[in-house]
Amino acid sequence: MKFKKLGSVAALIVSAVVLTSCGTDNKAKFIKDNAELAKSSTQKFDLKTDDLKVSATGDAKAYMPIINGYLADFKLSGKVVTDDKKSQTNMDVSVAGQSIPMEFLTQWENAYLRLDTLRPLVELYAQYYGAGEYFRDIDMTFIKGKYLDINAISEESKGSSVSVEDYNKAMAKALDSVDKSDFSQKGSAVTLNLSGAKIGKLLKVYLASVGSLTKDMIKSLEETAGDDDLEKRVPRIIKSITIITDSKKKTSDIVINFTGKESDNIALDGKLSYQVKYSNEKVTVKMPTQSNLIKSTDEFGRLLSESIQFDYSDYGNVE
């Protein structure tokens, strides 16, 4: 009799565990938690390389020491603040011993890049494109307060931009294609682990779901990737991606592991880490006026040329 009761209790415990497991949808929680965190007014982010190295064979091999030198100390950090439908992203890109500040403003599908923070890039441009020993200085007053209209430049070059609405819908469909078994939960943190092949599948669903892209554009992107099957292409480069979202700590951690295997004579090894911390603060984002927008490459090139100052006083002198 006692054994019969014990068996009944054991059966109840097993049933409770099974029912609890079935009731816990880690995939649904992951999607819900990320959607809630995305509504935060402030997102602070950091991206860094962890032993990331590039190797190559053939003609590209000569450039590897330079590229790996840049990657060794590459870091990207910044903050995104959102005011209703307007967002401002400020970031610092650290590379080759230089810190390059950047600012982006977005409203709906419109995106703008602030130009007067890009002095280090303008100096590099001047050094590498004809300025040489005659380069003297940069006068940023010509582009102070000016913003590059990224969508206008993209349309000029027959490019395509993805609207926020299309992006969100496409990502929702892509995540929906991921199997529930790829999600796990520990405490308040939900983890998504994807192999390279599954990442390729997710990308295919995403590209097919983006309303802003035509079939021709999607085909062009796939051809650029090297072949028509992303599920075969991606695993050659990416081993896995791990995404951990913690609703309690208000954090998201992403790690991309590379295979180190050669693809088109180039191989990536090591990993990239990307961390985001979310919070809610009172923020205000001010969009640029139409008069401060640069909408063509010709106008941008003219302002850039006016900003670079040369000194040709010694030109032609021979000692």
PDB file of all heavy atoms in Angstrom, residues 55-73:
ATOM      1  N   SER A  55      43.328  35.412 -41.850  1.00  0.00           N
ATOM      2  CA  SER A  55      44.419  34.793 -42.609  1.00  0.00           C
ATOM      3  C   SER A  55      43.993  34.670 -44.055  1.00  0.00           C
ATOM      4  O   SER A  55      42.806  34.680 -44.365  1.00  0.00           O
ATOM      5  CB  SER A  55      44.766  33.414 -42.032  1.00  0.00           C
ATOM      6  OG  SER A  55      43.631  32.572 -42.034  1.00  0.00           O
ATOM      7  N   ALA A  56      44.963  34.560 -44.952  1.00  0.00           N
ATOM      8  CA  ALA A  56      44.627  34.521 -46.374  1.00  0.00           C
ATOM      9  C   ALA A  56      45.740  33.854 -47.163  1.00  0.00           C
ATOM     10  O   ALA A  56      46.875  33.717 -46.702  1.00  0.00           O
ATOM     11  CB  ALA A  56      44.392  35.930 -46.890  1.00  0.00           C
ATOM     12  N   THR A  57      45.371  33.444 -48.350  1.00  0.00           N
ATOM     13  CA  THR A  57      46.342  32.938 -49.310  1.00  0.00           C
ATOM     14  C   THR A  57      46.221  33.769 -50.580  1.00  0.00           C
ATOM     15  O   THR A  57      45.264  34.518 -50.758  1.00  0.00           O
ATOM     16  CB  THR A  57      46.073  31.459 -49.638  1.00  0.00           C
ATOM     17  OG1 THR A  57      44.721  31.330 -50.113  1.00  0.00           O
ATOM     18  CG2 THR A  57      46.259  30.580 -48.418  1.00  0.00           C
ATOM     19  N   GLY A  58      47.205  33.637 -51.448  1.00  0.00           N
ATOM     20  CA  GLY A  58      47.153  34.382 -52.706  1.00  0.00           C
ATOM     21  C   GLY A  58      47.506  35.845 -52.524  1.00  0.00           C
ATOM     22  O   GLY A  58      48.251  36.229 -51.612  1.00  0.00           O
ATOM     23  N   ASP A  59      46.928  36.701 -53.380  1.00  0.00           N
ATOM     24  CA  ASP A  59      47.267  38.122 -53.397  1.00  0.00           C
ATOM     25  C   ASP A  59      46.896  38.832 -52.098  1.00  0.00           C
ATOM     26  O   ASP A  59      47.548  39.807 -51.711  1.00  0.00           O
ATOM     27  CB  ASP A  59      46.548  38.819 -54.562  1.00  0.00           C
ATOM     28  CG  ASP A  59      47.033  38.310 -55.913  1.00  0.00           C
ATOM     29  OD1 ASP A  59      48.155  37.764 -55.957  1.00  0.00           O
ATOM     30  OD2 ASP A  59      46.290  38.454 -56.902  1.00  0.00           O
ATOM     31  N   ALA A  60      45.852  38.371 -51.421  1.00  0.00           N
ATOM     32  CA  ALA A  60      45.386  39.044 -50.207  1.00  0.00           C
ATOM     33  C   ALA A  60      46.313  38.831 -49.013  1.00  0.00           C
ATOM     34  O   ALA A  60      46.237  39.571 -48.026  1.00  0.00           O
ATOM     35  CB  ALA A  60      43.984  38.561 -49.850  1.00  0.00           C
ATOM     36  N   LYS A  61      47.209  37.856 -49.107  1.00  0.00           N
ATOM     37  CA  LYS A  61      48.070  37.512 -47.968  1.00  0.00           C
ATOM     38  C   LYS A  61      48.930  38.678 -47.522  1.00  0.00           C
ATOM     39  O   LYS A  61      49.193  38.861 -46.328  1.00  0.00           O
ATOM     40  CB  LYS A  61      48.953  36.321 -48.342  1.00  0.00           C
ATOM     41  CG  LYS A  61      49.746  35.763 -47.174  1.00  0.00           C
ATOM     42  CD  LYS A  61      50.511  34.502 -47.593  1.00  0.00           C
ATOM     43  CE  LYS A  61      51.283  33.923 -46.416  1.00  0.00           C
ATOM     44  NZ  LYS A  61      52.011  32.682 -46.813  1.00  0.00           N
ATOM     45  N   ALA A  62      49.368  39.520 -48.463  1.00  0.00           N
ATOM     46  CA  ALA A  62      50.254  40.637 -48.145  1.00  0.00           C
ATOM     47  C   ALA A  62      49.608  41.670 -47.235  1.00  0.00           C
ATOM     48  O   ALA A  62      50.297  42.401 -46.517  1.00  0.00           O
ATOM     49  CB  ALA A  62      50.725  41.305 -49.437  1.00  0.00           C
ATOM     50  N   TYR A  63      48.272  41.742 -47.258  1.00  0.00           N
ATOM     51  CA  TYR A  63      47.570  42.755 -46.471  1.00  0.00           C
ATOM     52  C   TYR A  63      47.224  42.287 -45.052  1.00  0.00           C
ATOM     53  O   TYR A  63      46.767  43.085 -44.231  1.00  0.00           O
ATOM     54  CB  TYR A  63      46.270  43.164 -47.179  1.00  0.00           C
ATOM     55  CG  TYR A  63      46.493  43.754 -48.547  1.00  0.00           C
ATOM     56  CD1 TYR A  63      46.339  42.992 -49.696  1.00  0.00           C
ATOM     57  CD2 TYR A  63      46.874  45.092 -48.695  1.00  0.00           C
ATOM     58  CE1 TYR A  63      46.545  43.530 -50.955  1.00  0.00           C
ATOM     59  CE2 TYR A  63      47.086  45.644 -49.951  1.00  0.00           C
ATOM     60  CZ  TYR A  63      46.917  44.857 -51.079  1.00  0.00           C
ATOM     61  OH  TYR A  63      47.130  45.394 -52.319  1.00  0.00           O
ATOM     62  N   MET A  64      47.446  41.028 -44.757  1.00  0.00           N
ATOM     63  CA  MET A  64      47.019  40.479 -43.475  1.00  0.00           C
ATOM     64  C   MET A  64      47.689  41.135 -42.258  1.00  0.00           C
ATOM     65  O   MET A  64      47.019  41.405 -41.260  1.00  0.00           O
ATOM     66  CB  MET A  64      47.237  38.962 -43.439  1.00  0.00           C
ATOM     67  CG  MET A  64      46.302  38.204 -44.376  1.00  0.00           C
ATOM     68  SD  MET A  64      44.551  38.604 -44.163  1.00  0.00           S
ATOM     69  CE  MET A  64      44.269  39.692 -45.570  1.00  0.00           C
ATOM     70  N   PRO A  65      48.999  41.414 -42.278  1.00  0.00           N
ATOM     71  CA  PRO A  65      49.606  42.071 -41.114  1.00  0.00           C
ATOM     72  C   PRO A  65      48.983  43.428 -40.804  1.00  0.00           C
ATOM     73  O   PRO A  65      48.790  43.781 -39.643  1.00  0.00           O
ATOM     74  CB  PRO A  65      51.082  42.222 -41.528  1.00  0.00           C
ATOM     75  CG  PRO A  65      51.298  41.139 -42.524  1.00  0.00           C
ATOM     76  CD  PRO A  65      50.018  41.042 -43.288  1.00  0.00           C
ATOM     77  N   ILE A  66      48.623  44.183 -41.848  1.00  0.00           N
ATOM     78  CA  ILE A  66      48.001  45.493 -41.647  1.00  0.00           C
ATOM     79  C   ILE A  66      46.607  45.330 -41.058  1.00  0.00           C
ATOM     80  O   ILE A  66      46.240  45.993 -40.074  1.00  0.00           O
ATOM     81  CB  ILE A  66      47.922  46.265 -42.985  1.00  0.00           C
ATOM     82  CG1 ILE A  66      49.320  46.487 -43.550  1.00  0.00           C
ATOM     83  CG2 ILE A  66      47.199  47.595 -42.794  1.00  0.00           C
ATOM     84  CD1 ILE A  66      49.327  47.060 -44.955  1.00  0.00           C
ATOM     85  N   ILE A  67      45.818  44.428 -41.651  1.00  0.00           N
ATOM     86  CA  ILE A  67      44.447  44.212 -41.181  1.00  0.00           C
ATOM     87  C   ILE A  67      44.435  43.712 -39.743  1.00  0.00           C
ATOM     88  O   ILE A  67      43.682  44.212 -38.897  1.00  0.00           O
ATOM     89  CB  ILE A  67      43.718  43.215 -42.103  1.00  0.00           C
ATOM     90  CG1 ILE A  67      43.519  43.837 -43.481  1.00  0.00           C
ATOM     91  CG2 ILE A  67      42.376  42.792 -41.508  1.00  0.00           C
ATOM     92  CD1 ILE A  67      42.975  42.876 -44.525  1.00  0.00           C
ATOM     93  N   ASN A  68      45.284  42.740 -39.430  1.00  0.00           N
ATOM     94  CA  ASN A  68      45.327  42.202 -38.069  1.00  0.00           C
ATOM     95  C   ASN A  68      45.863  43.224 -37.069  1.00  0.00           C
ATOM     96  O   ASN A  68      45.495  43.196 -35.897  1.00  0.00           O
ATOM     97  CB  ASN A  68      46.169  40.920 -38.022  1.00  0.00           C
ATOM     98  CG  ASN A  68      45.451  39.743 -38.654  1.00  0.00           C
ATOM     99  OD1 ASN A  68      44.261  39.552 -38.445  1.00  0.00           O
ATOM    100  ND2 ASN A  68      46.163  38.953 -39.441  1.00  0.00           N
ATOM    101  N   GLY A  69      46.703  44.125 -37.559  1.00  0.00           N
ATOM    102  CA  GLY A  69      47.170  45.215 -36.693  1.00  0.00           C
ATOM    103  C   GLY A  69      46.027  46.124 -36.291  1.00  0.00           C
ATOM    104  O   GLY A  69      45.938  46.569 -35.133  1.00  0.00           O
ATOM    105  N   TYR A  70      45.131  46.411 -37.244  1.00  0.00           N
ATOM    106  CA  TYR A  70      43.949  47.217 -36.944  1.00  0.00           C
ATOM    107  C   TYR A  70      42.992  46.480 -36.007  1.00  0.00           C
ATOM    108  O   TYR A  70      42.416  47.059 -35.089  1.00  0.00           O
ATOM    109  CB  TYR A  70      43.205  47.577 -38.230  1.00  0.00           C
ATOM    110  CG  TYR A  70      43.878  48.655 -39.051  1.00  0.00           C
ATOM    111  CD1 TYR A  70      43.915  48.571 -40.444  1.00  0.00           C
ATOM    112  CD2 TYR A  70      44.464  49.766 -38.447  1.00  0.00           C
ATOM    113  CE1 TYR A  70      44.527  49.564 -41.205  1.00  0.00           C
ATOM    114  CE2 TYR A  70      45.079  50.752 -39.200  1.00  0.00           C
ATOM    115  CZ  TYR A  70      45.110  50.647 -40.577  1.00  0.00           C
ATOM    116  OH  TYR A  70      45.709  51.625 -41.324  1.00  0.00           O
ATOM    117  N   LEU A  71      42.809  45.176 -36.252  1.00  0.00           N
ATOM    118  CA  LEU A  71      41.861  44.395 -35.460  1.00  0.00           C
ATOM    119  C   LEU A  71      42.312  44.215 -34.009  1.00  0.00           C
ATOM    120  O   LEU A  71      41.482  44.053 -33.115  1.00  0.00           O
ATOM    121  CB  LEU A  71      41.660  43.013 -36.095  1.00  0.00           C
ATOM    122  CG  LEU A  71      40.872  42.964 -37.398  1.00  0.00           C
ATOM    123  CD1 LEU A  71      40.860  41.547 -37.947  1.00  0.00           C
ATOM    124  CD2 LEU A  71      39.450  43.465 -37.190  1.00  0.00           C
ATOM    125  N   ALA A  72      43.627  44.247 -33.781  1.00  0.00           N
ATOM    126  CA  ALA A  72      44.167  43.960 -32.453  1.00  0.00           C
ATOM    127  C   ALA A  72      43.614  44.895 -31.378  1.00  0.00           C
ATOM    128  O   ALA A  72      43.370  44.476 -30.242  1.00  0.00           O
ATOM    129  CB  ALA A  72      45.694  44.037 -32.483  1.00  0.00           C
ATOM    130  N   ASP A  73      43.407  46.174 -31.726  1.00  0.00           N
ATOM    131  CA  ASP A  73      42.915  47.118 -30.713  1.00  0.00           C
ATOM    132  C   ASP A  73      41.575  47.737 -31.107  1.00  0.00           C
ATOM    133  O   ASP A  73      41.201  48.801 -30.610  1.00  0.00           O
ATOM    134  CB  ASP A  73      43.947  48.221 -30.459  1.00  0.00           C
ATOM    135  CG  ASP A  73      44.201  49.082 -31.698  1.00  0.00           C
ATOM    136  OD1 ASP A  73      43.740  48.686 -32.790  1.00  0.00           O
ATOM    137  OD2 ASP A  73      44.842  50.136 -31.564  1.00  0.00           O
TER     138      ASP A  73
END
